[in-house]
Amino acid sequence: MFYHDNKLQYKVRVEKPNPAFANMLQQAIGGIEGEIRVCLQYLFQAWGARGPAKYRDMLLETGTEEMAHIEMLATAVALNLEGAPLSLKEDMAKDKVIGAVMGGMNPRHVLSSGLAAMAVDSNGVPFNGSWVVGSGNLAADMYANVMAESTGRVLATRLWEATDDPGMKDMLAFLIARDTMHQNQWLAVLEELGGLEGVHPIPNSFPQAEENQQFNYAFVSTAINGAPRAEGRWSQGTSMDGKGEFKMTPAEPQGGEPQLGPPDPRGHAQVEQMDGNGGIINKIKGAL
């Protein structure tokens, strides 16, 4: 079950409403870097969690906190839209709507939501559930969570730079701080699971003896014609998981040229594609 409190997790105040900034905040709600994504990601990971219950419980608590962040941002969008013009006809002479739209206001904040937030990004594109990662592998999910919090923090810092409203800066400073904690939280899980050497390669439940031993720690260089190869920590020395040695391997074809069979007549390729393939064109003509 989920419960709610009528108060926000952190204060949200806007000193000077800004419809254009309201649209920018939509990215932090429904964008790929936004709070809907991390909220659903952590919850779905929790709902499908198998293994020690503490990881499920932690994911549930953090996913639920992210609901509060969506609420904060939705409130911020609504406050930034207060006073925005609702009618093009009334304000045509002053060009308020035209100016607001051209200045970055989302027309759907008027047309679809009545000056409220929506589950969309800053371009008005609806949230996409395919961004939600829940693999059933705890280590893989933690890396996905670190990435989600990292890109979310990048977005929040850019929004912080984009506003001079003290209230918005204060709210964003809180969200940035929570992103810092959540990055460290997921990294702490990875450390608890054994760190680089313990969790890698993911999944660590698959026997490495079944891998192709020639290529499991080889950096394949596709540089040709004297172009410099991308040499670095990844091309020499002990591998990051401590289970192999990096090496540089020039790219070479390991297989022959692909040979595909003739087109199936039922697929209705062009006659020219089928001509010369074992007389198949004659068979088709004979059947007509």
Side-chain angles (χ1 to χ4, degrees):
M1 293 181 65
F2 291 92
Y3 298 88
H4 75 276
D5 191 293
N6 289 333
K7 297 179 181 179
L8 296 170
Q9 183 184 11
Y10 190 80
K11 58 184 179 292
V12 177
R13 57 188 176 89
V14 175
E15 294 188 6
K16 185 178 180 181
N18 185 335
F21 190 65
N23 192 40
M24 295 178 72
L25 287 172
Q26 283 288 161
Q27 191 68 20
I29 295 176
I32 191 171
E33 313 93 341
E35 300 287 354
I36 294 179
R37 187 258 180 95
V38 291
C39 173
L40 292 180
Q41 183 155 305
Y42 305 158
L43 291 178
F44 272 96
Q45 288 175 7
W47 293 330
R50 302 177 189 273
K54 66 178 181 178
Y55 298 120
R56 178 200 63 212
D57 295 341
M58 179 189 62
L59 285 161
L60 281 170
E61 294 207 31
T62 306
T64 304
E65 180 190 356
E66 301 294 2
M67 292 185 194
H69 297 173
I70 299 170
E71 182 182 25
M72 289 170 56
L73 287 161
T75 302
V77 168
L79 291 174
N80 272 287
L81 290 171
E82 287 189 355
L86 289 171
S87 169
L88 178 65
K89 182 176 180 180
E90 293 174 2
D91 298 295
M92 178 67 81
K94 298 180 180 179
D95 285 337
K96 286 185 178 180
V97 173
I98 295 175
V101 172
M102 295 302 291
M105 182 180 178
N106 187 340
R108 287 196 61 209
H109 279 149
V110 174
L111 301 174
S112 300
S113 69
L115 303 183
M118 298 176 289
V120 302
D121 66 13
S122 58
N123 287 323
V125 179
F127 174 76
N128 189 331
S130 68
W131 300 333
V132 173
V133 175
S135 70
N137 180 289
L138 184 60
D141 285 349
M142 290 304 107
Y143 277 112
N145 294 351
V146 171
M147 184 280 290
E149 291 288 345
S150 300
T151 53
R153 192 172 188 273
V154 169
L155 172 63
T157 58
R158 289 171 178 169
L159 288 167
W160 188 92
E161 295 286 358
T163 182
D164 58 3
D165 188 287
M168 287 293 89
K169 279 190 176 291
D170 183 52
M171 179 197 74
L172 289 165
F174 172 80
L175 294 176
I176 291 167
R178 297 310 296 152
D179 289 337
T180 297
M181 171 56 195
H182 291 156
Q183 285 181 37
N184 280 271
Q185 179 177 324
W186 310 132
L187 290 169
V189 175
L190 288 164
E191 181 183 273
E192 188 171 272
L193 294 175
L196 282 175
E197 295 189 5
V199 303
H200 288 278
I202 298 171
N204 60 7
S205 55
F206 183 83
Q208 282 200 268
E210 298 296 330
E211 296 177 353
N212 184 316
Q213 302 298 307
Q214 182 181 354
F215 290 99
N216 55 357
Y217 292 103
F219 177 79
V220 176
S221 174
T222 56
I224 60 172
N225 298 328
R229 292 175 177 172
E231 298 185 74
R233 175 65 182 88
W234 54 86
S235 62
Q236 60 184 343
T238 303
S239 61
M240 304 309 298
D241 59 17
K243 300 178 176 67
E245 291 290 321
F246 286 137
K247 62 182 178 180
M248 176 75 74
T249 300
E252 294 180 353
Q254 300 292 314
E257 184 177 346
Q259 299 292 332
L260 303 181
D264 189 312
R266 294 166 296 181
H268 295 288
Q270 289 298 94
V271 168
E272 292 79 4
Q273 290 177 261
M274 296 182 281
D275 193 14
N277 286 315
I280 193 171
I281 189 65
N282 295 325
K283 295 180 181 177
I284 295 174
K285 290 179 177 178
L288 296 177

